[in-house]
């Protein structure tokens, strides 16, 4: 069984910007080995899997060989994929 807790939801974007919380979110992502520039505006969750391993699940914008984001020809939207990384540092307080 996997337990999940949402740390960030795209509905919160305006609040995070208005409250000045973006730098804290970016610092937390970096502390966990995630480049904030690659994180798409989509939910970010912390999941605990059987065995106790905790991971961060997020949606990453994909980049081409030159480092540019690109469109997915199948969907005509931004090319994206879900990724997980081990949770090393707890998220900032709300």
């Amino acid at each position: 069984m996997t337990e999940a807790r949402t740390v960030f939801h795209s509905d919160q974007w305006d609040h995070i910007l208005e409250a000045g919380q973006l730098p804290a979110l970016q610092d937390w992502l970096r502390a966990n080995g995630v480049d904030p520039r690659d994180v798409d505006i989509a939910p970010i969750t912390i999941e605990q899997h059987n065995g106790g391993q905790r991971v961060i699940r997020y949606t990453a914008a994909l980049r081409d060989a030159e480092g540019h984001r690109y469109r997915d020809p199948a969907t005509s939207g931004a090319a994206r994929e879900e990724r997980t990384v081990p949770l090393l540092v707890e998220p900032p307080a709300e």
Side-chain angles (χ1 to χ4, degrees):
M1 181 174 145
T2 301
E3 294 180 29
R5 175 173 64 108
T6 301
V7 174
F8 168 78
H9 195 280
S10 54
D11 293 345
Q12 299 169 314
W13 189 246
D14 288 338
H15 173 72
I16 286 174
L17 292 175
E18 291 169 5
Q21 295 175 333
L22 184 59
L25 178 61
Q26 292 172 327
D27 289 345
W28 174 70
L29 289 166
R30 284 187 200 96
N32 284 284
V34 177
D35 185 341
R37 296 173 299 173
D38 292 339
V39 177
D40 202 18
I41 298 176
I44 299 172
T45 59
I46 295 175
E47 299 176 358
Q48 184 162 344
H49 296 275
N50 290 338
Q53 180 188 18
R54 296 174 73 204
V55 298
I56 300 168
R57 179 177 300 277
Y58 67 99
T59 302
L62 301 181
R63 297 180 183 272
D64 62 20
E66 285 110 28
H68 303 288
R69 292 181 177 201
Y70 63 93
R71 290 192 145 322
D72 180 346
T75 65
S76 297
R80 311 177 328 161
E81 70 180 6
E82 279 197 12
R83 295 183 180 167
T84 60
V85 295
L87 176 67
L88 304 173
V89 177
E90 290 294 324
E94 295 295 324

